[in-house]
């Protein structure tokens, strides 16, 4: 009987000291300027941020979608210090900003680099949807690891 009482007491103490499960990471809107600064991204004057989301936890992730004339993609890459050549890529890709389906792209080039911003190393994944030969849609995933 004493053994049973001891087992019940130990189980009760253990259950009370078990930490609550961590909350899931929340995806939330973010300021475009904040996301671009975080990733060291410099938009040409013709570039427009179409959507941006942020997930924060131990690491941080920004998803950004930019629209710009296709002829200005090299300027975006150069001014942002992105030196890795883009290569044709059929995916699959990470989730993009809600409402922007990269999987539907028929002509996508992608690349990845790391960049030092404010003493942090930021991984920058980029996919350029060139399905429309006039206007490119650039998907960026900017994150710490």
């Amino acid at each position: 009987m004493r053994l049973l009482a001891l087992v019940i007491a130990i189980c009760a103490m253990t259950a009370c000291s078990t930490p609550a499960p961590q909350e899931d990471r929340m995806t939330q809107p973010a300021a475009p300027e904040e996301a671009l600064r975080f990733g060291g991204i410099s938009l040409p004057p013709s570039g427009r941020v179409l959507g941006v989301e942020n997930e924060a936890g131990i690491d941080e992730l920004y998803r950004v979608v930019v629209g710009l004339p296709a002829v200005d993609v090299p300027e975006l890459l150069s001014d942002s210090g992105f030196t890795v050549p883009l290569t044709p890529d059929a995916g699959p890709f990470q989730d993009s900003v809600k409402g922007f389906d990269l999987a539907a792209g028929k002509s996508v080039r992608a690349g990845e680099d790391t960049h030092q911003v404010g003493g942090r190393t930021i991984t920058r994944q980029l996919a350029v949807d060139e399905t429309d030969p006039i206007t490119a849609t650039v998907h960026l995933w900017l994150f710490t690891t």
Side-chain angles (χ1 to χ4, degrees):
M1 190 69 157
R2 285 185 187 198
L3 180 59
L4 180 58
L6 179 61
V7 170
I8 290 172
I10 290 172
C11 288
M13 288 188 311
T14 303
C16 292
S17 66
T18 302
Q22 286 186 335
E23 292 182 14
D24 290 337
R25 294 169 59 104
M26 298 296 294
T27 299
Q28 55 194 6
E33 301 80 18
E34 178 183 326
L36 297 174
R37 186 173 39 255
F38 175 84
I41 303 299
S42 180
L43 284 186
S46 62
R48 299 288 176 256
V49 175
L50 305 175
V52 60
E53 294 175 344
N54 173 253
E55 284 186 18
I58 293 172
D59 297 324
E60 191 153 11
L61 164 67
Y62 284 94
R63 290 183 198 94
V64 182
V65 176
V66 172
L68 72 163
V71 298
D72 291 344
V73 170
E75 181 181 351
L76 167 71
L77 299 175
S78 172
D79 290 355
S80 301
F82 200 90
T83 58
V84 175
L86 301 180
T87 58
D89 193 338
F93 301 100
Q94 290 191 50
D95 290 339
S96 190
V97 173
K98 288 180 180 72
F100 294 92
D101 184 14
L102 185 56
K106 293 179 178 69
S107 178
V108 178
R109 293 184 303 139
E112 176 180 324
D113 76 352
T114 58
H115 191 72
Q116 292 291 341
V117 179
R120 296 187 293 187
T121 300
I122 307 299
T123 300
R124 306 183 307 175
Q125 294 178 343
L126 176 130
V128 180
D129 183 349
E130 299 171 322
T131 303
D132 178 343
I134 304 298
T135 304
T137 304
V138 179
H139 298 255
L140 297 158
W141 297 270
L142 311 167
F143 53 93
T144 57
T145 54

